[in-house]
Amino acid sequence: MGADNRRLLRRVGRAAAVTGAVGAAGLAYASVIERNWFRLRRYELPLLPSGSPRIRILHLSDAHLTPGRRMLIDWIRGLDAYEPDLVVNTGDSLAHPDAVGPFTEALGPLLERPGAFVYGSNDLFSPQLKNPARYLWRTSKDDYGKRRVPDLPWRDLGAAMSASGWLDLNNRKGELRAGGLDVALAGVHDSHIKLDRYEEVAGPADPSAALRLGVLHSPEPSNLDRFTADGYQLLLAGHTHGGQLCLPFYGTLVTNCGIDRRRAWGLHGYGDAWLHVSGGLGTSPYAPVRFCCRPEASLLDLVAAS
């Protein structure tokens, strides 16, 4: 082998070593640091009738909780200090058969506040090992065939929240009082596993309510359009994880549903309504990484329109 070839091989070897080191550092950051670097997003939205007091909504989603995630459990529990008037959980709370107890522990004093919830697919079906690159060309919707039987304790999860007075909005309507105001709510089960039945909640939202909320796990435009047409002012969803793995200066790569990348997380207009999609708090145990997409919960302060 000539001297030029040896020098070329040394350069290639150094480049490969540097690339490997950068990749390893990025993976360590995404799995150890960013995955546990929780943040609370805050918004103010002038949505209430003139003269109304503020309503503070805490939006939780996609905890994908396993019993050992102590940092996440304690962080969620600490959100009660912000004194929300209403807590809305848009699903995918579980990732383990023994996670119902830890999740209710995480909610803790929040369960004493008015609340509502819907399920996500991962409240019914345990996570499975899969190639995450598939999300670049398809959603995970086809992973839930007729042969797959729910194997997570979703009934126990729902019973724990319902026992505290939280509204089960899985293809249901309800009303509650929060912050001294009447709130009308409607929700659907997860469209990702074809359990949404909007026809069971269809019809105009109560126009006398100070606030009208639509609640769903996956922000599928077909359901968002129906909620908007029925007069719901604020739509709350999760599911997307904000993309989970995002690129600097580009953002979300995929949403795993029908919503566009621009609205994969955060607060956006949606027709005559507002849509808030939570970036979520967790990940699948088989893909425990986040990059440029920190785990999050949100506080939405709704105030009187001027």
Side-chain angles (χ1 to χ4, degrees), residues 209-221:
L211 176 64
R212 301 179 293 280
L213 293 180
V215 181
L216 63 170
H217 176 66
S218 180
E220 289 295 344

Side-chain angles (χ1 to χ4, degrees), residues 120-154:
S121 59
N122 291 124
D123 293 318
L124 283 73
F125 299 99
S126 58
Q128 294 184 331
L129 183 63
K130 62 187 78 171
N131 176 9
R134 295 187 310 166
Y135 291 114
L136 293 174
W137 64 83
R138 51 160 289 188
T139 74
S140 60
K141 199 167 189 175
D142 294 333
D143 295 344
Y144 301 95
K146 293 181 179 179
R147 295 183 180 179
R148 195 167 180 203
V149 177
D151 59 347
L152 288 181
W154 58 275

Side-chain angles (χ1 to χ4, degrees), residues 146-255:
K146 293 181 179 179
R147 295 183 180 179
R148 195 167 180 203
V149 177
D151 59 347
L152 288 181
W154 58 275
R155 290 186 179 88
D156 295 338
L157 172 67
M161 292 185 283
S162 295
S164 296
W166 283 23
L167 293 180
D168 179 344
L169 294 178
N170 290 285
N171 301 324
R172 297 180 181 178
K173 285 184 172 183
E175 297 179 352
L176 53 74
R177 195 160 178 82
L181 297 176
D182 292 326
V183 182
L185 305 96
V188 291
H189 207 310
D190 191 5
S191 60
H192 211 59
I193 47 177
K194 302 176 182 178
L195 292 179
D196 55 319
R197 303 288 184 269
Y198 192 87
E199 64 274 10
E200 296 182 15
V201 299
D206 182 358
S208 68
L211 176 64
R212 301 179 293 280
L213 293 180
V215 181
L216 63 170
H217 176 66
S218 180
E220 289 295 344
S222 59
N223 284 324
L224 297 173
D225 292 344
R226 294 183 182 112
F227 277 116
T228 303
D230 278 339
Y232 290 93
Q233 304 158 282
L234 176 61
L235 314 178
L236 302 178
H239 177 69
T240 66
H241 296 193
Q244 190 167 325
L245 300 177
C246 299
L247 294 181
F249 310 112
Y250 182 81
T252 301
L253 294 172
V254 295
T255 66

Side-chain angles (χ1 to χ4, degrees), residues 80 87 103-115 157 160-166:
D80 185 67
V87 185
F103 186 69
T104 55
E105 179 191 356
L107 292 178
L110 292 170
L111 286 170
E112 299 174 13
R113 300 183 180 277
L157 172 67
M161 292 185 283
S162 295
S164 296
W166 283 23

